[in-house]
Amino acid sequence: MTIPPEREAQILRYYHVEKWHVGTIARQLGVHHGVVNRVLGQAGLAATMSPRPSKVDTYLPFILATLDKFPTLTAARLYAMVQERGYRGGPSHFRQIISCHRPRPKAEAYLRLRTLPGEQAQVDWGHFGHLDIGRARRPLMAFVIVLSYSRRIFLRFFLDARIESFLRGHVEAFQSWRGVPRVCLYDNLKSAVLERQGDAIRFNPILLDFAGHYRYEPRPVAVARGNEKGRVERAIRYVRDNFFAARAFADLADLNAQAETCCNAPAADRLCREDATRTIREVFAEESTQLLPLPENPYPLLERVPVKAGKTPYIRFDLNDYSIPHTHVQRTLTVLTVLADPGEVRILDGERILARHQRSYDKGAQIESATHVQDLVEQKRAARQHRATDQLARAAPASQKLLTLAAGRGHGLASITAELMQLLDRYGAAELQAAILEALSRDVPHPNAVRIALDRRREEQHQPPPVAGNLSRQVQERDVIVRQPRLELYDKLKGQSDEQP
C-alpha cells in the first residue's frame, strides 16, 4: 500500500511526539499496522509493538533445518510436510514465512571474457512465435551467430529447428563472412549436444562431420553458465527488441531479406563494445582477415527421410502428401527416400528420381504431378469419378454432405458430381462452397439449387456471369467471329454490268 508523504510525516509525529504505539497509530489513521511498521523501518526506527505469536513458530526449527539441507524445496512441499506434523495454519501465510527464511544464493562475480580476432563465434536459436501458412502453424525460429571479437551478427529465420536448418544457417553465415571462425560455442541445445553427463559430452554426429568439413572446433559451454555465451544472448535480445518488434513482413523470404539488410546496415554501424572509437563494421574488416578460408565444396545440406507408399500414389512428408507414380505403391520391400531442401522435394527409389515437387509448408495439402494422376486415371476408368469427388471434397467440403443427402433420395451421384465439377470450374471454390451451404440450408441437395444460389450471389454483387474456361468444340465453332464482307466490290461489279450494251 502506497501512502502520501503527508501521511508518513503524520505517522512519524504520532510515534515521536505523542508516543503512540503502532497499533494505536494504525487504528486512528485507518491504515494497516504493516504500513506503520514499514514507515518506521524506513526511518530507521524499531516498532515497539511486539509481534504476535504465530502457529508456525513451533515448526520453525524443522523448517530452517530442511531448507538448509534442501534450499530449493518448494513451499508447497514444505507445507505438506509440516501439516503431517500437526501444523494447522493457512498456505498463503506459510508461503510468506518461507520466502523470508529461504536461504538466498550468494552473488557471483564473473570475469570479462576476451577473444582474439577470428578465434570464436557463439551460436544459438531464438524462438519468435509462429507463422500461419495455410492450415499449418509453423514455429518461427531465428538462427543467430555472432563473432565474439567484432560482435558481427548473422541472422536467418527458419520454420523449424532441425539439424539441417541449423547447419544451413552456419553455411550461409560463413559465406556471408567469407571465412570460418576457429571455435564455435554452443549451448546445450539438441542440434549440437545429444547427451551430457558431467564432463562427458556426446555431440550430434552430423554436427561433428560438418565441423570437420569446415575445420572448426565445436565447443559446448558449461552447464548453467550463460555468461560464457553472453554475446549471442545479447544479439538475440537486440534482434528481438530492435529488429523484430512491430516488424511487418509478407512471408519468410521477405523477413530474411529484411534481416540481411539489418545485419549489413544498422547492426553493423553500432559502436563496438571492445573499442568504442570504432564501429562493428570497421572491427569486422580487421577480423575477417583472420578467419579460416572456406572449403572448396560446400557441405551437402539435404533432409534425407525414408518413406513408404500405401494404397494411394502419395507419400507423406512434413505434414503434406506428395504424388508418386502409381507403379510404386504398396511395395513391401521397397523403401523410398525423400531428399528435401527449403524449396524442393525429391522422391527417390534407390538412385533413380521418381518425382520432383515444390515444397509446401501447409498442412494436409496434396502436391501432385499431373502426369502421375493422369496415368492412374487412364489405367483405372472408375477412378475418374473418385478423382472428381476428391477434388470437390478438397475445394468445397460441404459437397460431401450434399452428395450423401442426394444419394439417400435416390439421385444419380455421377451426374451430380459432373455438374458440381462444372460449377467449380466456372465459379471457383469459395463461391461453390457458399452456394452449397445455402442449398443445404434450404434442404435441396441438388445442383440446380446450387446453380440458382450462384447466379443470385452474382446478381447481388453486380458481377457479370462467368465465362466457362473449357467450351465444347461445337460452341467454339459457333462463336467464331465472322468478318462482314465489303459490299463495295459487288456494287462496282454491278455498275460495270449495267454499262455494257
mmCIF file of all heavy atoms in Angstrom, residues 218-251:
data_model
loop_
_atom_site.group_PDB
_atom_site.id
_atom_site.type_symbol
_atom_site.label_atom_id
_atom_site.label_comp_id
_atom_site.label_asym_id
_atom_site.label_seq_id
_atom_site.Cartn_x
_atom_site.Cartn_y
_atom_site.Cartn_z
ATOM 1 N N PRO A 218 33.858 -27.479 -32.577
ATOM 2 C CA PRO A 218 32.614 -27.231 -31.838
ATOM 3 C C PRO A 218 32.870 -27.385 -30.341
ATOM 4 O O PRO A 218 33.440 -28.380 -29.899
ATOM 5 C CB PRO A 218 31.675 -28.318 -32.371
ATOM 6 C CG PRO A 218 32.583 -29.430 -32.774
ATOM 7 C CD PRO A 218 33.881 -28.805 -33.205
ATOM 8 N N ARG A 219 32.433 -26.405 -29.577
ATOM 9 C CA ARG A 219 32.719 -26.434 -28.138
ATOM 10 C C ARG A 219 31.451 -26.023 -27.369
ATOM 11 O O ARG A 219 30.911 -24.940 -27.599
ATOM 12 C CB ARG A 219 33.854 -25.475 -27.806
ATOM 13 C CG ARG A 219 34.304 -25.520 -26.351
ATOM 14 C CD ARG A 219 35.389 -24.478 -26.111
ATOM 15 N NE ARG A 219 36.558 -24.701 -26.958
ATOM 16 C CZ ARG A 219 37.566 -23.838 -27.051
ATOM 17 N NH1 ARG A 219 37.521 -22.690 -26.371
ATOM 18 N NH2 ARG A 219 38.598 -24.111 -27.828
ATOM 19 N N PRO A 220 30.970 -26.873 -26.444
ATOM 20 C CA PRO A 220 29.787 -26.507 -25.666
ATOM 21 C C PRO A 220 30.172 -25.661 -24.463
ATOM 22 O O PRO A 220 31.281 -25.784 -23.920
ATOM 23 C CB PRO A 220 29.217 -27.860 -25.233
ATOM 24 C CG PRO A 220 30.432 -28.723 -25.115
ATOM 25 C CD PRO A 220 31.411 -28.254 -26.159
ATOM 26 N N VAL A 221 29.272 -24.795 -24.037
ATOM 27 C CA VAL A 221 29.505 -24.031 -22.820
ATOM 28 C C VAL A 221 29.200 -24.915 -21.622
ATOM 29 O O VAL A 221 28.536 -25.953 -21.733
ATOM 30 C CB VAL A 221 28.632 -22.761 -22.780
ATOM 31 C CG1 VAL A 221 28.951 -21.869 -23.956
ATOM 32 C CG2 VAL A 221 27.155 -23.129 -22.782
ATOM 33 N N ALA A 222 29.687 -24.528 -20.459
ATOM 34 C CA ALA A 222 29.430 -25.289 -19.239
ATOM 35 C C ALA A 222 27.951 -25.201 -18.878
ATOM 36 O O ALA A 222 27.241 -24.273 -19.270
ATOM 37 C CB ALA A 222 30.300 -24.770 -18.099
ATOM 38 N N VAL A 223 27.489 -26.183 -18.117
ATOM 39 C CA VAL A 223 26.091 -26.212 -17.701
ATOM 40 C C VAL A 223 25.816 -25.035 -16.778
ATOM 41 O O VAL A 223 26.599 -24.729 -15.871
ATOM 42 C CB VAL A 223 25.781 -27.545 -16.980
ATOM 43 C CG1 VAL A 223 24.353 -27.564 -16.479
ATOM 44 C CG2 VAL A 223 26.039 -28.715 -17.916
ATOM 45 N N ALA A 224 24.681 -24.364 -17.001
ATOM 46 C CA ALA A 224 24.238 -23.220 -16.193
ATOM 47 C C ALA A 224 25.265 -22.089 -16.206
ATOM 48 O O ALA A 224 25.424 -21.368 -15.232
ATOM 49 C CB ALA A 224 23.941 -23.635 -14.760
ATOM 50 N N ARG A 225 25.983 -21.927 -17.335
ATOM 51 C CA ARG A 225 26.951 -20.837 -17.468
ATOM 52 C C ARG A 225 26.596 -20.009 -18.692
ATOM 53 O O ARG A 225 27.292 -20.003 -19.712
ATOM 54 C CB ARG A 225 28.367 -21.400 -17.598
ATOM 55 C CG ARG A 225 28.872 -22.065 -16.336
ATOM 56 C CD ARG A 225 29.046 -21.060 -15.219
ATOM 57 N NE ARG A 225 29.527 -21.674 -13.994
ATOM 58 C CZ ARG A 225 29.700 -21.023 -12.847
ATOM 59 N NH1 ARG A 225 29.408 -19.733 -12.796
ATOM 60 N NH2 ARG A 225 30.129 -21.638 -11.781
ATOM 61 N N GLY A 226 25.459 -19.306 -18.591
ATOM 62 C CA GLY A 226 25.025 -18.483 -19.710
ATOM 63 C C GLY A 226 25.961 -17.333 -19.998
ATOM 64 O O GLY A 226 25.960 -16.782 -21.107
ATOM 65 N N ASN A 227 26.788 -16.934 -19.006
ATOM 66 C CA ASN A 227 27.707 -15.820 -19.233
ATOM 67 C C ASN A 227 28.761 -16.162 -20.271
ATOM 68 O O ASN A 227 29.346 -15.274 -20.893
ATOM 69 C CB ASN A 227 28.383 -15.439 -17.920
ATOM 70 C CG ASN A 227 29.279 -16.547 -17.377
ATOM 71 O OD1 ASN A 227 28.788 -17.632 -17.068
ATOM 72 N ND2 ASN A 227 30.569 -16.284 -17.258
ATOM 73 N N GLU A 228 29.024 -17.455 -20.481
ATOM 74 C CA GLU A 228 30.041 -17.837 -21.447
ATOM 75 C C GLU A 228 29.584 -17.587 -22.886
ATOM 76 O O GLU A 228 30.404 -17.572 -23.797
ATOM 77 C CB GLU A 228 30.410 -19.310 -21.259
ATOM 78 C CG GLU A 228 31.088 -19.589 -19.911
ATOM 79 C CD GLU A 228 31.552 -21.029 -19.797
ATOM 80 O OE1 GLU A 228 31.435 -21.761 -20.802
ATOM 81 O OE2 GLU A 228 32.022 -21.419 -18.719
ATOM 82 N N LYS A 229 28.290 -17.462 -23.094
ATOM 83 C CA LYS A 229 27.776 -17.134 -24.438
ATOM 84 C C LYS A 229 26.904 -15.880 -24.363
ATOM 85 O O LYS A 229 25.873 -15.785 -25.017
ATOM 86 C CB LYS A 229 27.009 -18.310 -25.036
ATOM 87 C CG LYS A 229 25.789 -18.756 -24.264
ATOM 88 C CD LYS A 229 25.118 -19.913 -24.970
ATOM 89 C CE LYS A 229 23.789 -20.244 -24.333
ATOM 90 N NZ LYS A 229 22.785 -19.191 -24.475
ATOM 91 N N GLY A 230 27.374 -14.929 -23.553
ATOM 92 C CA GLY A 230 26.600 -13.704 -23.383
ATOM 93 C C GLY A 230 26.496 -12.867 -24.638
ATOM 94 O O GLY A 230 25.532 -12.119 -24.813
ATOM 95 N N ARG A 231 27.468 -13.006 -25.556
ATOM 96 C CA ARG A 231 27.422 -12.196 -26.770
ATOM 97 C C ARG A 231 26.247 -12.595 -27.650
ATOM 98 O O ARG A 231 25.550 -11.732 -28.198
ATOM 99 C CB ARG A 231 28.741 -12.334 -27.518
ATOM 100 C CG ARG A 231 29.916 -11.638 -26.813
ATOM 101 C CD ARG A 231 31.241 -12.025 -27.454
ATOM 102 N NE ARG A 231 32.353 -11.252 -26.918
ATOM 103 C CZ ARG A 231 32.997 -11.533 -25.786
ATOM 104 N NH1 ARG A 231 32.602 -12.576 -25.056
ATOM 105 N NH2 ARG A 231 34.008 -10.787 -25.365
ATOM 106 N N VAL A 232 26.005 -13.887 -27.816
ATOM 107 C CA VAL A 232 24.876 -14.305 -28.643
ATOM 108 C C VAL A 232 23.558 -14.053 -27.921
ATOM 109 O O VAL A 232 22.539 -13.766 -28.558
ATOM 110 C CB VAL A 232 25.023 -15.790 -29.060
ATOM 111 C CG1 VAL A 232 24.824 -16.726 -27.888
ATOM 112 C CG2 VAL A 232 24.053 -16.125 -30.177
ATOM 113 N N GLU A 233 23.543 -14.127 -26.591
ATOM 114 C CA GLU A 233 22.322 -13.806 -25.852
ATOM 115 C C GLU A 233 21.954 -12.343 -26.045
ATOM 116 O O GLU A 233 20.777 -12.006 -26.258
ATOM 117 C CB GLU A 233 22.522 -14.103 -24.362
ATOM 118 C CG GLU A 233 22.741 -15.572 -24.031
ATOM 119 C CD GLU A 233 21.480 -16.394 -24.182
ATOM 120 O OE1 GLU A 233 20.408 -15.808 -24.422
ATOM 121 O OE2 GLU A 233 21.566 -17.631 -24.083
ATOM 122 N N ARG A 234 22.939 -11.466 -25.985
ATOM 123 C CA ARG A 234 22.668 -10.041 -26.229
ATOM 124 C C ARG A 234 22.278 -9.795 -27.674
ATOM 125 O O ARG A 234 21.464 -8.912 -27.967
ATOM 126 C CB ARG A 234 23.895 -9.205 -25.841
ATOM 127 C CG ARG A 234 24.053 -9.014 -24.337
ATOM 128 C CD ARG A 234 25.100 -7.960 -24.039
ATOM 129 N NE ARG A 234 26.431 -8.402 -24.439
ATOM 130 C CZ ARG A 234 27.264 -9.078 -23.664
ATOM 131 N NH1 ARG A 234 26.896 -9.412 -22.435
ATOM 132 N NH2 ARG A 234 28.463 -9.433 -24.087
ATOM 133 N N ALA A 235 22.860 -10.564 -28.592
ATOM 134 C CA ALA A 235 22.495 -10.409 -30.006
ATOM 135 C C ALA A 235 21.034 -10.803 -30.246
ATOM 136 O O ALA A 235 20.314 -10.126 -30.980
ATOM 137 C CB ALA A 235 23.419 -11.255 -30.881
ATOM 138 N N ILE A 236 20.585 -11.882 -29.598
ATOM 139 C CA ILE A 236 19.182 -12.283 -29.736
ATOM 140 C C ILE A 236 18.278 -11.221 -29.136
ATOM 141 O O ILE A 236 17.213 -10.902 -29.683
ATOM 142 C CB ILE A 236 18.965 -13.657 -29.080
ATOM 143 C CG1 ILE A 236 19.710 -14.738 -29.862
ATOM 144 C CG2 ILE A 236 17.476 -13.987 -28.993
ATOM 145 C CD1 ILE A 236 19.622 -16.110 -29.250
ATOM 146 N N ARG A 237 18.678 -10.656 -27.999
ATOM 147 C CA ARG A 237 17.879 -9.588 -27.402
ATOM 148 C C ARG A 237 17.846 -8.361 -28.314
ATOM 149 O O ARG A 237 16.808 -7.691 -28.432
ATOM 150 C CB ARG A 237 18.444 -9.225 -26.032
ATOM 151 C CG ARG A 237 17.574 -8.241 -25.261
ATOM 152 C CD ARG A 237 17.956 -8.148 -23.800
ATOM 153 N NE ARG A 237 19.310 -7.646 -23.618
ATOM 154 C CZ ARG A 237 20.307 -8.376 -23.106
ATOM 155 N NH1 ARG A 237 20.098 -9.634 -22.756
ATOM 156 N NH2 ARG A 237 21.512 -7.865 -22.963
ATOM 157 N N TYR A 238 18.960 -8.058 -28.971
ATOM 158 C CA TYR A 238 18.978 -6.931 -29.912
ATOM 159 C C TYR A 238 18.038 -7.205 -31.084
ATOM 160 O O TYR A 238 17.288 -6.320 -31.513
ATOM 161 C CB TYR A 238 20.403 -6.718 -30.419
ATOM 162 C CG TYR A 238 20.499 -5.721 -31.546
ATOM 163 C CD1 TYR A 238 20.520 -4.357 -31.289
ATOM 164 C CD2 TYR A 238 20.559 -6.145 -32.877
ATOM 165 C CE1 TYR A 238 20.596 -3.440 -32.335
ATOM 166 C CE2 TYR A 238 20.632 -5.245 -33.916
ATOM 167 C CZ TYR A 238 20.661 -3.886 -33.637
ATOM 168 O OH TYR A 238 20.726 -2.988 -34.664
ATOM 169 N N VAL A 239 18.068 -8.428 -31.608
ATOM 170 C CA VAL A 239 17.174 -8.788 -32.712
ATOM 171 C C VAL A 239 15.720 -8.683 -32.271
ATOM 172 O O VAL A 239 14.859 -8.174 -32.995
ATOM 173 C CB VAL A 239 17.501 -10.207 -33.209
ATOM 174 C CG1 VAL A 239 16.446 -10.688 -34.197
ATOM 175 C CG2 VAL A 239 18.876 -10.245 -33.855
ATOM 176 N N ARG A 240 15.429 -9.146 -31.062
ATOM 177 C CA ARG A 240 14.049 -9.144 -30.578
ATOM 178 C C ARG A 240 13.534 -7.730 -30.358
ATOM 179 O O ARG A 240 12.378 -7.421 -30.686
ATOM 180 C CB ARG A 240 13.972 -9.943 -29.268
ATOM 181 C CG ARG A 240 12.562 -10.381 -28.881
ATOM 182 C CD ARG A 240 12.591 -11.191 -27.600
ATOM 183 N NE ARG A 240 13.406 -12.369 -27.699
ATOM 184 C CZ ARG A 240 13.014 -13.516 -28.230
ATOM 185 N NH1 ARG A 240 11.780 -13.620 -28.721
ATOM 186 N NH2 ARG A 240 13.829 -14.556 -28.286
ATOM 187 N N ASP A 241 14.358 -6.851 -29.803
ATOM 188 C CA ASP A 241 13.893 -5.507 -29.435
ATOM 189 C C ASP A 241 14.060 -4.491 -30.565
ATOM 190 O O ASP A 241 13.204 -3.610 -30.733
ATOM 191 C CB ASP A 241 14.652 -5.006 -28.198
ATOM 192 C CG ASP A 241 14.393 -5.867 -26.969
ATOM 193 O OD1 ASP A 241 13.357 -6.561 -26.958
ATOM 194 O OD2 ASP A 241 15.217 -5.856 -26.041
ATOM 195 N N ASN A 242 15.139 -4.611 -31.335
ATOM 196 C CA ASN A 242 15.455 -3.566 -32.309
ATOM 197 C C ASN A 242 15.143 -3.947 -33.754
ATOM 198 O O ASN A 242 15.146 -3.072 -34.624
ATOM 199 C CB ASN A 242 16.939 -3.197 -32.219
ATOM 200 C CG ASN A 242 17.295 -2.568 -30.890
ATOM 201 O OD1 ASN A 242 17.158 -1.364 -30.696
ATOM 202 N ND2 ASN A 242 17.742 -3.387 -29.954
ATOM 203 N N PHE A 243 14.908 -5.221 -34.007
ATOM 204 C CA PHE A 243 14.572 -5.622 -35.375
ATOM 205 C C PHE A 243 13.169 -6.204 -35.471
ATOM 206 O O PHE A 243 12.349 -5.751 -36.268
ATOM 207 C CB PHE A 243 15.587 -6.651 -35.889
ATOM 208 C CG PHE A 243 15.171 -7.273 -37.199
ATOM 209 C CD1 PHE A 243 15.270 -6.566 -38.380
ATOM 210 C CD2 PHE A 243 14.665 -8.566 -37.245
ATOM 211 C CE1 PHE A 243 14.870 -7.127 -39.591
ATOM 212 C CE2 PHE A 243 14.266 -9.144 -38.436
ATOM 213 C CZ PHE A 243 14.371 -8.420 -39.613
ATOM 214 N N PHE A 244 12.849 -7.213 -34.663
ATOM 215 C CA PHE A 244 11.606 -7.957 -34.859
ATOM 216 C C PHE A 244 10.392 -7.241 -34.294
ATOM 217 O O PHE A 244 9.281 -7.451 -34.769
ATOM 218 C CB PHE A 244 11.741 -9.340 -34.224
ATOM 219 C CG PHE A 244 10.647 -10.286 -34.622
ATOM 220 C CD1 PHE A 244 10.648 -10.893 -35.860
ATOM 221 C CD2 PHE A 244 9.593 -10.557 -33.759
ATOM 222 C CE1 PHE A 244 9.644 -11.755 -36.243
ATOM 223 C CE2 PHE A 244 8.581 -11.418 -34.120
ATOM 224 C CZ PHE A 244 8.604 -12.016 -35.367
ATOM 225 N N ALA A 245 10.575 -6.412 -33.271
ATOM 226 C CA ALA A 245 9.429 -5.761 -32.633
ATOM 227 C C ALA A 245 8.679 -4.889 -33.645
ATOM 228 O O ALA A 245 9.279 -4.042 -34.321
ATOM 229 C CB ALA A 245 9.895 -4.914 -31.449
ATOM 230 N N ALA A 246 7.357 -5.119 -33.758
ATOM 231 C CA ALA A 246 6.474 -4.371 -34.668
ATOM 232 C C ALA A 246 6.927 -4.460 -36.121
ATOM 233 O O ALA A 246 6.659 -3.573 -36.924
ATOM 234 C CB ALA A 246 6.387 -2.902 -34.242
ATOM 235 N N ARG A 247 7.587 -5.551 -36.481
ATOM 236 C CA ARG A 247 8.073 -5.735 -37.842
ATOM 237 C C ARG A 247 6.963 -6.312 -38.713
ATOM 238 O O ARG A 247 6.331 -7.296 -38.362
ATOM 239 C CB ARG A 247 9.271 -6.674 -37.831
ATOM 240 C CG ARG A 247 9.812 -7.097 -39.191
ATOM 241 C CD ARG A 247 10.558 -5.992 -39.888
ATOM 242 N NE ARG A 247 11.599 -5.415 -39.070
ATOM 243 C CZ ARG A 247 12.432 -4.480 -39.484
ATOM 244 N NH1 ARG A 247 12.320 -4.016 -40.727
ATOM 245 N NH2 ARG A 247 13.343 -3.978 -38.679
ATOM 246 N N ALA A 248 6.725 -5.725 -39.867
ATOM 247 C CA ALA A 248 5.738 -6.221 -40.829
ATOM 248 C C ALA A 248 6.483 -6.889 -41.982
ATOM 249 O O ALA A 248 7.459 -6.345 -42.506
ATOM 250 C CB ALA A 248 4.865 -5.089 -41.356
ATOM 251 N N PHE A 249 6.037 -8.080 -42.382
ATOM 252 C CA PHE A 249 6.668 -8.798 -43.477
ATOM 253 C C PHE A 249 5.616 -9.642 -44.176
ATOM 254 O O PHE A 249 4.625 -10.067 -43.578
ATOM 255 C CB PHE A 249 7.826 -9.661 -42.986
ATOM 256 C CG PHE A 249 7.462 -10.599 -41.865
ATOM 257 C CD1 PHE A 249 7.048 -11.898 -42.120
ATOM 258 C CD2 PHE A 249 7.535 -10.177 -40.543
ATOM 259 C CE1 PHE A 249 6.712 -12.751 -41.095
ATOM 260 C CE2 PHE A 249 7.204 -11.035 -39.496
ATOM 261 C CZ PHE A 249 6.793 -12.324 -39.784
ATOM 262 N N ALA A 250 5.842 -9.887 -45.468
ATOM 263 C CA ALA A 250 4.869 -10.628 -46.280
ATOM 264 C C ALA A 250 4.984 -12.123 -46.064
ATOM 265 O O ALA A 250 3.988 -12.826 -45.917
ATOM 266 C CB ALA A 250 5.048 -10.281 -47.756
ATOM 267 N N ASP A 251 6.213 -12.645 -46.065
ATOM 268 C CA ASP A 251 6.437 -14.077 -45.889
ATOM 269 C C ASP A 251 7.840 -14.272 -45.350
ATOM 270 O O ASP A 251 8.533 -13.311 -44.993
ATOM 271 C CB ASP A 251 6.232 -14.826 -47.212
ATOM 272 C CG ASP A 251 7.012 -14.205 -48.365
ATOM 273 O OD1 ASP A 251 7.997 -13.468 -48.101
ATOM 274 O OD2 ASP A 251 6.652 -14.420 -49.531
#
